[in-house]
Amino acid sequence: MNPTRPAVLLGLGVAIAAYLLSFFHRVAPAAISGDLQVSFAIGGAQLGTLAATYFYVYTLMQIPTGVLADTLGPRRILWWGGLVAGVGAILFGLAPSFELAFVGRTLVGLGVSVTFIAMLKLLAIGFDERRFATLTGLCMLIGNLGSILAGAPLAWATQAAGWRQVFVVVGLLSFALAFASRAWVIETPAGKVDRTAWLSGLVSVLKNRATWPGFFANAGLSGAFFAFAGLWAVPYLTQMHAMSRAVASSHVSIYFLGFAIGSALWGRVSDALGRRKSVALAVSGLHVLGWGVWLWATWRADGALPLAASYGLCLMMGLATAGFTLSWASAKEVNPPQLSGMATSVVNVGIFLGPAILQPMVGWLMERTWDGRMEAGVRIYSAGDWRNGMLLLTAAAVAGWIATLFVRETGCRNIWKTEDEK
């Protein structure tokens, strides 16, 4: 018996809410970076590692999640994911030491790693494939509220109640969503993928050369974006552009507001034009140009931008960064429809592998030239230190744009049978 449309929408709503929380966790360290350094007496490299452990486990879980989405279904993986994320968030909030905080953040990454692929699977089985990119963008628009909440609102809540209390509450919300997913998320229709034959399906996706350009594009473009906006943006803006933490955090919120709008906008534009690659190339090119401005500021004696310009740049870069979100539709359209979970999960690995590498690398590069200056337990980096980090992020963005050149144009339709015939 096919599920009714209200049942599909209700389950999708739960998945989007879980995705919102996953985005909150992804970027929250940017707003509380100073608090974390003081609470655990850590430097830039350790701070980067603590933030990036979310991405480490998320990266490792993407392909297994795709397999699980195609075999067990989204309802079961959202249930278990919500429980694990809840335990991790509470442990992170209560952790007395860096080591326990690391374990908590790892559990958070493990728990929320299933949310996005589960959401895509619900879209793939419940809606017309010609609207996939549009609907994915709309879901991301809503889900990105989590990243907006992890900017200025989190900074405010941290000052009012403390960062630890905030994460305990978020952990309890994860538990609530786990129970909601068990009650309301639909079961995947039976018979789509033989659970004993999933390995051959995964091998088919991995052997498909058309799958991989999206992976490398995501590693560079989203890697630079999340490494910066998810951790280093607030300290960069406070130290290089003389902003208060509240103002810098509001820039992160604007960054993700642009990303949320762009996620919905570019999917709609792509579906309307019947093109994936050309849209992704154009907007990702703007993303690369934005990095030139941040990098330029590190060479200026007074590189601080006027507030209107810095807010505008964050909005533009957020909009442009969202070009990489077309990679999921592209990957789905060059692989068998019944393997959509595995196909999207493979390119999704790049989104988390990029920041997993770049977040600690930025800290490590800056630590190499850091002169030891500190204020209130927070390390203060010079323009030269920041230049080292920004050069790395700029290079990653350029590499991601180059990889986009090799993405196969699908015309917004599934072409895998045609590729088999060739």
Side-chain angles (χ1 to χ4, degrees):
M1 179 177 179
N2 292 326
T4 63
R5 182 49 55 93
V8 171
L9 292 174
L10 181 60
L12 181 61
V14 174
I16 293 172
Y19 179 57
L20 186 152
L21 274 191
S22 78
F23 240 111
F24 172 87
H25 284 295
R26 192 175 305 176
V27 301
I32 60 171
S33 58
D35 298 289
L36 295 175
Q37 283 188 308
V38 173
S39 296
F40 302 118
I42 56 177
Q46 285 180 297
L47 176 63
T49 301
L50 180 61
T53 184
Y54 170 104
F55 293 102
Y56 297 150
V57 68
Y58 211 119
T59 299
L60 293 173
M61 281 298 298
Q62 285 314 284
I63 292 178
T65 295
V67 173
L68 293 173
D70 286 339
T71 54
L72 297 181
R75 183 171 77 170
R76 293 176 185 173
I77 62 176
L78 285 170
W79 156 251
W80 288 108
L83 294 180
V84 173
V87 171
I90 293 173
L91 178 59
F92 182 74
L94 299 177
S97 66
F98 172 80
E99 291 76 16
L100 283 177
F102 185 91
V103 172
R105 181 117 175 117
T106 300
L107 289 175
V108 166
L110 178 62
V112 303
S113 65
V114 304
T115 57
F116 183 69
I117 299 300
M119 185 177 73
L120 291 187
K121 187 65 179 181
L122 289 170
L123 289 175
I125 64 178
F127 299 89
D128 188 336
E129 71 168 10
R130 290 171 295 182
R131 302 173 60 201
F132 184 82
T134 298
L135 292 172
T136 299
L138 288 173
C139 289
M140 290 192 67
L141 173 62
I142 300 170
N144 266 271
L145 292 174
S147 57
I148 296 170
L149 291 172
L154 176 57
W156 174 84
T158 297
Q159 292 178 345
W163 71 269
R164 293 181 180 277
Q165 288 79 0
V166 170
F167 278 88
V168 170
V169 171
V170 169
L172 295 176
L173 288 175
S174 291
F175 289 147
L177 286 174
F179 283 96
S181 65
R182 191 171 182 86
W184 294 324
V185 174
I186 63 171
E187 286 278 19
T188 303
K192 292 296 184 182
V193 176
D194 185 344
R195 294 179 187 176
T196 65
W198 65 266
L199 184 57
S200 63
L202 177 59
V203 170
S204 172
V205 171
L206 294 175
K207 288 175 64 177
N208 184 352
R209 288 180 295 178
T211 302
W212 289 99
F215 167 88
F216 291 106
N218 286 346
L221 293 167
S222 74
F225 173 64
F226 286 119
F228 184 63
L231 178 62
W232 293 111
V234 171
Y236 169 79
L237 293 172
T238 55
Q239 295 182 20
M240 283 300 302
H241 294 263
M243 297 180 189
S244 68
R245 186 168 73 166
V247 172
S249 297
S250 68
H251 278 71
V252 174
S253 292
I254 293 296
Y255 221 132
F256 280 101
L257 175 62
F259 182 69
I261 295 171
S263 297
L265 176 62
W266 304 131
R268 179 73 173 177
V269 169
S270 174
D271 284 346
L273 295 178
R275 291 289 183 269
R276 301 287 190 224
K277 179 178 178 177
S278 56
V279 176
L281 273 174
V283 295
S284 297
L286 288 176
H287 168 85
V288 171
L289 292 177
W291 283 105
V293 179
W294 292 131
L295 184 58
W296 166 82
T298 65
W299 264 290
R300 299 278 296 177
D302 181 11
L305 296 176
L307 275 181
S310 58
Y311 276 122
L313 180 60
C314 285
L315 181 62
M316 183 278 287
M317 288 189 70
L319 281 166
T321 299
F324 77 75
T325 62
L326 296 175
S327 66
W328 302 309
S330 296
K332 183 181 76 72
E333 290 161 356
V334 295
N335 284 286
Q338 69 270 25
L339 302 180
S340 62
M342 297 183 201
T344 53
S345 70
V346 170
V347 297
N348 212 40
V349 169
I351 293 176
F352 302 100
L353 180 62
I357 295 171
L358 292 172
Q359 280 188 338
M361 278 295 295
V362 169
W364 179 78
L365 283 173
M366 294 195 300
E367 290 285 319
R368 292 189 67 190
T369 55
W370 176 56
D371 61 10
R373 189 157 60 99
M374 298 182 68
E375 290 181 8
V378 176
R379 301 191 180 200
I380 306 299
Y381 299 105
S382 68
D385 301 333
W386 282 111
R387 188 178 308 125
N388 294 335
M390 300 305 281
L391 276 169
L392 175 63
L393 296 179
T394 303
V398 171
W401 184 83
I402 292 173
T404 306
L405 292 169
F406 298 91
V407 171
R408 183 161 299 168
E409 180 59 72
T410 64
C412 300
R413 67 190 190 282
N414 192 284
I415 63 171
W416 76 276
K417 288 183 179 178
T418 302
E419 293 304 317
D420 273 357
E421 292 169 359
K422 291 180 180 179

